[in-house]
Amino acid sequence: MGLSFRHNPDGTTTGRNEETGFTVTLADEEEVKRRLYEDAGWEYTPPPPPVPPGFHRFSLVHEEFGDAGFGDERYADLRARPPAGCVPADWGCFALECERPGKTLLDAVTGTVAEIRRDYGLVMNGMGIEKPQEWLGDDKNGYGAEILGHLLLMAAHRASLLGYGRKDVVRLLDAAGVG
């Protein structure tokens, strides 16, 4: 079963449940989603309210390939005293759901990752993006920026596991033309 959504030139959104054929077109995109979820028999959760200006909403994860999970002792202090604006979450691994200040999304993520590393000795290694190859959006503070942050954290973590250092990663970024 699949739900599809299309933004129309007149500002409306059309949604279609491929299984039932139910189709709806409205100006309110969230209402289109709600009605399609209802038709599919799925629970609809409306999006959270927007964050205040200068704040960004994102998630950070620490995934270990093995037995470590949310309840692992390494996360005890972070679960008890998370950084301001972050709430611990069990995603099958340790995660934080955050609303933090920053000029950009990457600035907010960078500050949070640095605080966690400094105060808890833990390096977060992703942002919980399941399919980073599915690039969506070009907003510097939107989903595309979340994917970028996820890929950078994942790359830094994997580089360290393989024995590459900061200079190796920076040299690759410089060679790729990132200034």
Side-chain angles (χ1 to χ4, degrees):
M1 172 174 17
L3 304 182
S4 63
F5 299 92
R6 182 182 70 240
H7 293 92
N8 303 313
D10 65 358
T12 61
T13 300
T14 298
R16 178 174 171 77
N17 181 336
E18 303 299 334
E19 185 172 293
T20 66
F22 176 74
T23 303
V24 63
T25 300
L26 297 168
D28 184 347
E29 181 177 355
E30 286 308 312
E31 182 62 15
V32 171
K33 288 180 184 177
R34 187 192 68 73
R35 289 187 186 185
L36 257 66
Y37 273 60
E38 183 179 276
D39 181 68
W42 300 346
E43 183 179 334
Y44 173 74
T45 304
V51 293
F55 279 72
H56 303 274
R57 184 177 289 127
F58 57 92
S59 299
L60 291 171
V61 298
H62 186 262
E63 293 182 280
E64 289 288 325
F65 303 105
D67 296 332
F70 180 79
D72 191 284
E73 183 60 31
R74 290 177 293 173
Y75 311 128
D77 287 343
L78 199 47
R79 282 191 309 267
R81 299 178 297 102
C86 294
V87 176
D90 185 348
W91 289 9
C93 63
F94 182 80
L96 290 170
E97 296 173 353
C98 303
E99 287 185 15
R100 301 267 297 188
K103 287 190 256 180
T104 65
L105 176 70
L106 284 183
D107 184 51
V109 169
T110 300
T112 308
V113 168
E115 181 179 338
I116 293 168
R117 182 174 174 218
R118 179 187 68 240
D119 295 350
Y120 304 94
L122 186 67
V123 179
M124 302 305 276
N125 58 16
M127 293 181 67
I129 306 295
E130 290 190 24
K131 295 181 179 181
Q133 70 277 15
E134 293 181 4
W135 188 266
L136 297 172
D138 57 3
D139 179 0
K140 190 173 185 177
N141 294 310
Y143 190 63
E146 287 185 48
I147 292 171
L148 174 62
H150 175 77
L151 291 170
L152 289 170
L153 288 172
M154 189 174 71
H157 175 69
R158 302 274 171 93
S160 70
L161 291 176
L162 294 171
Y164 288 107
R166 182 184 183 283
K167 289 180 182 178
D168 299 309
V169 175
V170 170
R171 191 169 59 248
L172 175 59
L173 291 173
D174 286 344
V178 176

